Amino acid sequence: MSTLRVVQWGLGAMGSGMARLVAGKEGLQLVGGIDTRPEYVGRPLGEVLGLDTDLGATVTDDPSSVLNKDDVDCVIIATTSWVKEQIDDLRTILSAGINCVSIAEEMASPEAQSPEAARELDDLAKANGVSIIGTGVNPGLSMDTLVVALTAGCLEVTSIEATRVNDLSPYGPTVMRTQGVGLSEEEFLAGVEDGSVDGHIGFPESARMISDALGLGIDRIEQKREPIVSTVRRETPHITIEPGMVAGCKQTLLGYRGDEVVLTLVHPQQVLPELEGQGTGDYITIHGTPEVSMQINPEYAGGKATQAIAVNVVPRIVEATPGLKNMLDIPMTGALVGPSAYRRRV
């Protein structure tokens, strides 16, 4: 398998981790970095990433200077959680004839909330002969792809419950803001009302993926967001939380088929939950024949797993047939321990 050339767009907490991972993976080559931070622009990419290696590229804030399909096979973009904020950049990548992996949560299944944008991206990718996918640990793996995989041995499925208790501390300011971390309880509740506190972004996308894959027939969803208030001091490189401040968000989704709840997703995530004696983990229960129960302790580490899956999926999306994909459209993705042993069109 020839080396796949990758550009990392967005060098924040997640993007820089993915870039370092690409730079160290056999079969992948990091050939560019895009970011608008003035302190990064014009500096050697390896230096910005804290690597001793000269990667032969500098960080640029001009995507057109590096997005040449003859020199780049795939762009991994880590800039935002929302389709509406990223779609112009996605248009730029696809129009350049380059495959794309996005970690924007809404891109995991954009048809769930942005069907017109999903159709546009699918059409644009096909017109340029490339593929695009949204992925991450959640959505993209722990509360959708893994859920569907566990039903493969079931004769029937009546309902599904999935809970993910995770640590927010690896994430940067964007995720902290969406979770309401650092606010008072009153500010959190006001933020939920005015839309400034989103909580977990991606539940509608996970519900759409699961329902479509299994034929659950979910016809409406309900979501609830509740503050997790800290009783202890918590500190990360990005934020300090004092007692009485919000340390995270407990979010619940109920997916209905008619009046029946057939899908329950619960996601209490907070900064350093162990400081309050809270363990982390991923828990999935499939009600049906047979009953299936799975747990992973501690949780699938969010920051590392998102970085890993975004990089590990690169060969899959480069070899996919043109169009918009989700993680259930492509062959199973595994860790790139060595050069990929297979090349298969999907």
Side-chain angles (χ1 to χ4, degrees):
M1 179 176 176
S2 60
T3 297
L4 298 178
R5 300 156 300 178
V6 179
V7 166
Q8 177 63 49
W9 190 330
L11 296 170
M14 289 293 103
S16 59
M18 285 181 269
R20 285 189 288 269
L21 188 58
V22 170
K25 283 288 184 183
E26 190 175 359
L28 301 181
Q29 181 185 3
L30 185 64
V31 297
I34 302 171
D35 201 280
T36 58
R37 292 171 177 83
E39 63 271 26
Y40 288 179
V41 176
R43 289 175 56 193
L45 179 56
E47 178 183 295
V48 169
L49 296 174
L51 302 176
D52 294 330
T53 307
D54 181 2
L55 299 173
T58 57
V59 178
T60 181
D61 58 359
D62 177 12
S64 65
S65 67
V66 293
L67 296 185
N68 184 329
K69 67 180 180 181
D70 295 327
D71 302 319
V72 181
D73 297 299
C74 187
V75 171
I76 304 176
I77 184 166
T79 56
T80 183
S81 297
W82 299 275
V83 169
K84 65 181 180 181
E85 292 187 359
Q86 196 172 80
I87 191 164
D88 284 345
D89 295 337
L90 300 178
R91 291 181 183 124
T92 297
I93 296 166
L94 298 178
S95 297
I98 300 172
N99 301 285
C100 181
V101 176
S102 169
I103 65 164
E105 288 93 331
E106 289 187 347
M107 277 298 296
S109 182
E111 58 271 24
Q113 299 190 80
S114 306
E116 292 183 4
R119 285 191 294 270
E120 178 189 348
L121 292 172
D122 186 48
D123 290 343
L124 188 58
K126 289 175 178 175
N128 287 279
V130 294
S131 302
I132 180 171
I133 194 168
T135 192
V137 67
N138 185 34
L141 180 61
S142 63
M143 298 188 82
D144 37 56
T145 302
L146 188 56
V147 170
V148 173
L150 287 175
T151 69
C154 293
L155 300 175
E156 61 177 358
V157 174
T158 55
S159 65
I160 295 169
E161 299 169 11
T163 298
R164 174 170 170 78
V165 183
N166 76 302
D167 180 7
L168 286 174
S169 61
Y171 292 94
T174 298
V175 172
M176 297 292 184
R177 174 175 56 83
T178 64
Q179 297 295 324
V181 174
L183 300 179
S184 68
E185 184 171 1
E186 293 74 19
E187 290 170 334
F188 179 98
L189 296 174
V192 171
E193 286 296 315
D194 66 25
S196 60
V197 173
D198 300 277
H200 170 63
I201 301 165
F203 266 174
E205 289 70 27
S206 291
R208 178 65 179 263
M209 289 173 67
I210 293 169
S211 183
D212 284 356
L214 304 182
L216 274 183
I218 293 174
D219 49 39
R220 67 184 172 93
I221 61 174
E222 294 179 357
Q223 294 193 76
K224 179 172 66 174
R225 299 167 180 85
E226 302 169 273
I228 300 173
V229 180
S230 186
T231 63
V232 298
R233 190 176 191 270
R234 315 183 195 199
E235 186 173 356
T236 80
H238 304 288
I239 195 168
T240 298
I241 302 158
E242 301 292 348
M245 296 170 67
V246 172
C249 175
K250 178 183 178 182
Q251 188 155 333
T252 304
L253 175 141
L254 300 178
Y256 290 85
R257 182 178 61 219
D259 295 328
E260 180 185 8
V261 175
V262 293
L263 177 65
T264 302
L265 303 178
V266 184
H267 195 7
Q269 51 182 335
Q270 59 184 298
V271 172
L272 300 172
E274 66 271 15
L275 295 181
E276 298 261 19
Q278 171 68 62
T280 65
D282 291 289
Y283 311 90
I284 298 172
T285 301
I286 312 294
H287 298 290
T289 307
E291 296 271 320
V292 178
S293 181
M294 183 221 73
Q295 65 179 32
I296 300 173
N297 299 106
E299 97 277 18
Y300 228 129
K304 291 180 180 179
T306 292
Q307 293 167 16
I309 195 169
V311 173
N312 289 332
V313 81
V314 167
R316 291 294 194 216
I317 205 62
V318 169
E319 288 303 312
T321 51
L324 172 66
K325 311 293 183 182
N326 68 42
M327 290 299 290
L328 300 175
D329 294 325
I330 61 175
M332 184 180 297
T333 297
L336 296 178
V337 179
S340 181
Y342 45 80
R343 290 169 66 91
R344 175 165 42 175
R345 300 290 290 183
V346 295

